[in-house]
Amino acid sequence: MTTTPTSQLPADHPLTSGLTSESALLNQYRGSRTSAGAPASPERRPVWFMRQAGRSLPEYRELREGTSMLDSCLNPDMASEITLQPVRRHDVDAAIFFSDIVIPLRLAGVGVEIKPGVGPVLDAPVRTAADVAALPELDDAAFAPITEAIQRTTAELGSTPLIGFAGAPFTLAAYMVEGRPSRDHLGPRAMMHTDPQTWNALAAWAADVSGRFMRAQLMAGASAAQLFDSWAGSLGRADYQRHVLPHSTAALSHVSGLSGPDGVSAPLVHFGTGTSEILDLLKTAGADVVGVDYRLNLSEATRRLGPETPLQGNIDPAFLTADWSVLEAHVREVIAAGSGAAGHVLNLGHGVPPETDPAVLTRVVELIHSIDP
Amino acid sequence: MTTTPTSQLPADHPLTSGLTSESALLNQYRGSRTSAGAPASPERRPVWFMRQAGRSLPEYRELREGTSMLDSCLNPDMASEITLQPVRRHDVDAAIFFSDIVIPLRLAGVGVEIKPGVGPVLDAPVRTAADVAALPELDDAAFAPITEAIQRTTAELGSTPLIGFAGAPFTLAAYMVEGRPSRDHLGPRAMMHTDPQTWNALAAWAADVSGRFMRAQLMAGASAAQLFDSWAGSLGRADYQRHVLPHSTAALSHVSGLSGPDGVSAPLVHFGTGTSEILDLLKTAGADVVGVDYRLNLSEATRRLGPETPLQGNIDPAFLTADWSVLEAHVREVIAAGSGAAGHVLNLGHGVPPETDPAVLTRVVELIHSIDP
């Protein structure tokens, strides 16, 4: 194999064109743009969609028929196939590993199920010091189906990067304290003040399983990882900083500096909804890239985070049903707003709504790829 | 009746002491503090709690037994009694009229019910131009039970002010489009972009019934009014400004400059959860006072709104189960953080959780009243 640096190859050389297309996403995650805001080399503008693997795709609904959510996540064949489906259909620039936030709980032996139309429901909520002390240890051997699914997926993906996935400690702990989804997350938020020792023990447990879940995915071949803190937006800044940030930092420390398949350290993305007021803290936790939800203009995100911080986001899913001209204008606005950051990977500013027409997502990808970077 | 200004009466004169205690809340709402941040006169530090009338009180649960939520709101005896219960029990400085955000819909003839454990559920969602065109007209005569309930309540309250209540157009429209509560409010947010004309017609209808509902309460004897935009936090700033602010402004215009029972224009409070990024727009809509949810420190709210803006809030309900020393320290922090604003009425930064121990709320009121203003 030649060791000629790709920058010295002619632009139409297969290796060059392959690399500039295939590593575009990782380059953006690594902040490869020049200081002028232009990319270092002409690459495809990268995009993927949170929840791209899932309910909006008929092929997903067909495959999942008769299999529970968590069982499908732990079946390497199914998890791999579901991860690949949107890459084939939409030509997105990354796969996101199909899994669920509560999978590390299930792997540790915590009784949990996803109830259709409800969400994660635990056999018993975790509310006391004794409940937390009784939480099982997660054995690394339990990650076997994850490792197998990741390996099958990366083998089929070729050079398209696979992004690993885990729920952040607060979000995990929120489900554990409430025992089910809730609107206000008052249970975990109250525990921080009512019994901070138990809160810290619980969040530390969640950080450990979350971090090791991401680590298992990277060790098996994922190229990047995203920590999802779905409910962090329910916290004020002081509470996040004092009671959550240390645990999210601990979760990310499990994967910090870990090399991806390309031999360079795998970029880490941190995302939560309603987190405009704590974006800087999401980065402080140890993230390379900050995911921005649909509420905040990306130029304002760059003002808050500094131009050196690569961003991910933030097409508003509320535009996916609009006239194409309205949606196109919105996508172009998002691209313009993100142009001040050292890197920008297009994404939605929230997950794909289940009722989304997949053809619209495909067209959005085509549009993004058609716009010169 | 003497016309001697109260400022010329001796401090222990019944009229004087009565006024300084009884109008403390309205004075704070009107920004009566001197520029140094101290109150113009020594008054009790005012406090009330969102959802103080309701599920946390055993006397409420007993009274409501067997009566549906909306029926109890429209029964003048019950609505009045429920409004008075927390004033008697907690010695709070204001009553908030017991009602529900969807009452104007019910009064207009829209089929809606509150399903226990779910929330407002409409017979049919309102999603098309035809649905909006078919919405009934609200007749002012329909407000009769509201007027009667307010009159009974103010007669018993004496000089304790009664605060009127309405849901903001976005929140009302969100329930109408979804037909029930939702997490992301994707339906109404999508309608703004997919069919802006229908959105504007729907929101204008909601603004009309909401504004007239507040107006009916003020005309019947309420001393102030609060517009609740429960779901405004799901909107980005640009969407709020373009698609919601004009309608909230229209709702508030129905009560702008309207005199309260004291002959001075009734203060208008505007509150929404998760609205840290749009606090200034809540004020722009025509509010005198901005309610701040528990997420944002009040000193930061004052930085954003200017010291001339009176604030309401924002004790975090998550502290209500904590050790008393922790809760007390939190309440004192909130008071300190609010001291830079021209006025400050203590409140929770969200509604009273149903499982709250009422004795804790009473103790919080005692604490607040014990701290020198």
Side-chain angles (χ1 to χ4, degrees):
Chain A
M1 186 187 159
T2 174
T3 55
T4 314
T6 53
S7 59
Q8 294 175 23
L9 293 170
D12 59 351
H13 187 283
L15 183 58
T16 307
S17 57
L19 273 177
T20 53
S21 163
E22 289 150 3
S23 58
L25 177 126
L26 297 174
N27 284 344
Q28 293 293 326
Y29 275 169
R30 289 177 178 134
S32 68
R33 276 181 184 160
T34 64
S35 57
S41 58
E43 295 179 328
R44 187 156 106 158
R45 190 183 289 280
V47 56
W48 66 278
F49 303 117
M50 293 186 284
R51 288 196 181 270
Q52 64 187 16
R55 300 159 300 172
S56 66
L57 298 186
E59 58 268 35
Y60 165 84
R61 295 194 295 267
E62 194 182 321
L63 187 61
R64 268 284 315 279
E65 186 100 42
T67 309
S68 79
M69 176 66 189
L70 297 187
D71 286 349
S72 66
C73 293
L74 294 174
N75 175 326
D77 263 349
M78 283 184 75
S80 172
E81 173 61 19
I82 293 170
T83 302
L84 291 162
Q85 283 173 347
V87 182
R88 291 189 201 115
R89 181 189 268 264
H90 299 310
D91 191 26
V92 282
D93 298 284
I96 176 82
F97 184 54
F98 177 73
S99 193
D100 190 275
I101 277 177
V102 298
I103 280 292
L105 270 59
R106 163 69 72 95
L107 293 177
V110 173
V112 60
E113 202 49 84
I114 307 291
K115 280 207 183 166
V118 179
V121 177
L122 276 78
D123 292 350
V126 180
R127 292 182 182 164
T128 66
D131 292 344
V132 175
L135 284 170
E137 285 261 350
L138 171 58
D139 186 340
D140 272 332
F143 290 127
I146 305 302
T147 301
E148 191 182 335
I150 297 270
Q151 287 169 343
R152 287 187 198 202
T153 308
T154 52
E156 282 214 40
L157 278 172
S159 54
T160 300
L162 173 66
I163 302 171
F165 158 94
F170 175 70
T171 293
L172 272 181
Y175 285 122
M176 296 172 80
V177 174
E178 300 280 2
R180 55 193 302 116
S182 78
R183 181 168 285 152
D184 301 330
H185 317 295
L186 190 65
R189 295 199 305 105
M191 190 191 273
M192 292 173 191
H193 306 296
T194 304
D195 188 355
Q197 237 181 326
T198 299
W199 165 256
N200 276 319
L202 172 59
W205 186 90
D208 179 70
V209 302
S210 168
R212 288 167 58 207
F213 181 49
M214 277 190 289
R215 184 178 175 86
Q217 294 171 64
L218 284 168
M219 297 297 283
S223 295
Q226 178 163 322
L227 190 65
F228 283 78
D229 210 347
S230 311
W231 310 133
S234 69
L235 295 160
R237 187 173 171 89
D239 277 349
Y240 184 86
Q241 194 152 20
R242 179 166 173 197
H243 299 289
V244 174
L245 178 58
H247 301 292
S248 295
T249 305
L252 286 167
S253 73
H254 283 270
V255 285
S256 174
L258 217 59
S259 289
D262 60 1
V264 190
S265 83
L268 305 177
V269 188
H270 200 176
F271 171 80
T273 53
T275 51
S276 302
E277 299 277 341
I278 55 168
L279 278 189
D280 58 319
L281 301 179
L282 295 189
K283 185 182 177 191
T284 304
D288 303 296
V289 181
V290 175
V292 181
D293 95 343
Y294 64 85
R295 292 170 178 85
L296 193 71
N297 189 287
L298 290 186
S299 61
E300 176 62 18
T302 289
R303 204 189 60 74
R304 295 179 191 192
L305 290 164
E308 71 283 5
T309 307
L311 301 179
Q312 180 172 277
N314 67 349
I315 299 165
D316 188 345
F319 280 86
L320 293 175
T321 45
D323 284 346
W324 175 251
S325 62
V326 173
L327 173 54
E328 176 174 346
H330 174 64
V331 171
R332 289 181 183 273
E333 275 174 23
V334 169
I335 289 172
S339 64
H344 180 203
V345 170
L346 271 290
N347 204 317
L348 296 178
H350 204 193
V352 175
E355 60 278 9
T356 302
D357 175 0
V360 172
L361 293 181
T362 305
R363 197 170 172 191
V364 168
V365 173
E366 286 167 2
L367 168 66
I368 291 167
H369 287 164
S370 78
I371 299 170
D372 278 346
Chain B
M1 183 183 162
T2 173
T3 54
T4 315
T6 53
S7 61
Q8 294 174 21
L9 293 170
D12 58 352
H13 187 283
L15 183 58
T16 307
S17 56
L19 273 178
T20 52
S21 162
E22 290 151 3
S23 59
L25 178 128
L26 297 174
N27 284 342
Q28 293 294 324
Y29 275 168
R30 288 175 178 138
S32 68
R33 274 182 185 160
T34 65
S35 56
S41 58
E43 294 179 328
R44 192 157 102 156
R45 190 182 289 280
V47 55
W48 66 279
F49 302 117
M50 293 187 283
R51 286 195 182 274
Q52 65 187 15
R55 301 160 301 171
S56 67
L57 299 186
E59 59 268 34
Y60 166 82
R61 295 193 297 266
E62 194 182 323
L63 188 61
R64 268 285 314 280
E65 187 99 45
T67 310
S68 79
M69 176 68 189
L70 297 187
D71 285 349
S72 65
C73 294
L74 294 174
N75 175 325
D77 261 349
M78 282 184 76
S80 172
E81 172 60 19
I82 293 170
T83 302
L84 291 163
Q85 284 173 345
V87 182
R88 290 188 202 117
R89 182 189 267 265
H90 299 310
D91 191 26
V92 282
D93 299 284
I96 176 82
F97 184 53
F98 178 73
S99 193
D100 190 275
I101 278 176
V102 298
I103 280 292
L105 271 59
R106 164 67 74 92
L107 293 178
V110 174
V112 59
E113 202 46 84
I114 307 291
K115 279 205 183 170
V118 178
V121 177
L122 275 78
D123 292 350
V126 180
R127 293 184 181 161
T128 66
D131 292 342
V132 175
L135 283 171
E137 285 260 351
L138 171 58
D139 186 338
D140 273 331
F143 290 128
I146 306 299
T147 301
E148 190 182 337
I150 297 268
Q151 287 168 343
R152 286 188 196 202
T153 308
T154 52
E156 282 215 39
L157 276 171
S159 53
T160 300
L162 173 66
I163 302 172
F165 158 94
F170 175 70
T171 292
L172 271 182
Y175 284 121
M176 295 172 80
V177 175
E178 300 280 2
R180 54 193 302 116
S182 78
R183 182 167 285 151
D184 301 330
H185 316 295
L186 190 64
R189 295 199 303 106
M191 189 190 272
M192 293 173 191
H193 307 296
T194 304
D195 189 355
Q197 236 180 325
T198 299
W199 165 257
N200 277 319
L202 171 59
W205 186 91
D208 179 69
V209 301
S210 167
R212 286 166 59 207
F213 181 48
M214 276 189 292
R215 186 180 174 84
Q217 294 171 61
L218 284 168
M219 298 296 283
S223 296
Q226 177 162 323
L227 190 64
F228 283 78
D229 210 347
S230 310
W231 309 133
S234 70
L235 295 160
R237 187 173 171 87
D239 277 349
Y240 184 86
Q241 195 151 19
R242 181 168 170 195
H243 300 288
V244 173
L245 178 57
H247 301 292
S248 295
T249 304
L252 285 167
S253 73
H254 284 269
V255 284
S256 175
L258 218 59
S259 290
D262 58 1
V264 190
S265 84
L268 305 177
V269 188
H270 200 176
F271 171 80
T273 54
T275 51
S276 303
E277 299 276 340
I278 56 169
L279 278 188
D280 58 320
L281 301 179
L282 295 189
K283 186 182 176 188
T284 304
D288 302 296
V289 181
V290 176
V292 181
D293 95 342
Y294 65 84
R295 291 170 178 86
L296 192 71
N297 190 287
L298 290 186
S299 62
E300 177 62 19
T302 288
R303 202 189 61 73
R304 295 181 190 190
L305 290 164
E308 71 283 4
T309 307
L311 302 179
Q312 180 171 278
N314 68 349
I315 299 166
D316 187 346
F319 280 85
L320 293 176
T321 45
D323 285 347
W324 174 252
S325 63
V326 174
L327 173 54
E328 176 174 347
H330 174 64
V331 171
R332 288 180 184 274
E333 275 173 25
V334 169
I335 289 172
S339 64
H344 180 203
V345 170
L346 270 290
N347 203 317
L348 296 178
H350 204 193
V352 175
E355 61 278 9
T356 301
D357 175 1
V360 171
L361 293 181
T362 305
R363 198 170 171 191
V364 168
V365 174
E366 286 168 2
L367 169 65
I368 291 166
H369 287 164
S370 78
I371 300 170
D372 278 348

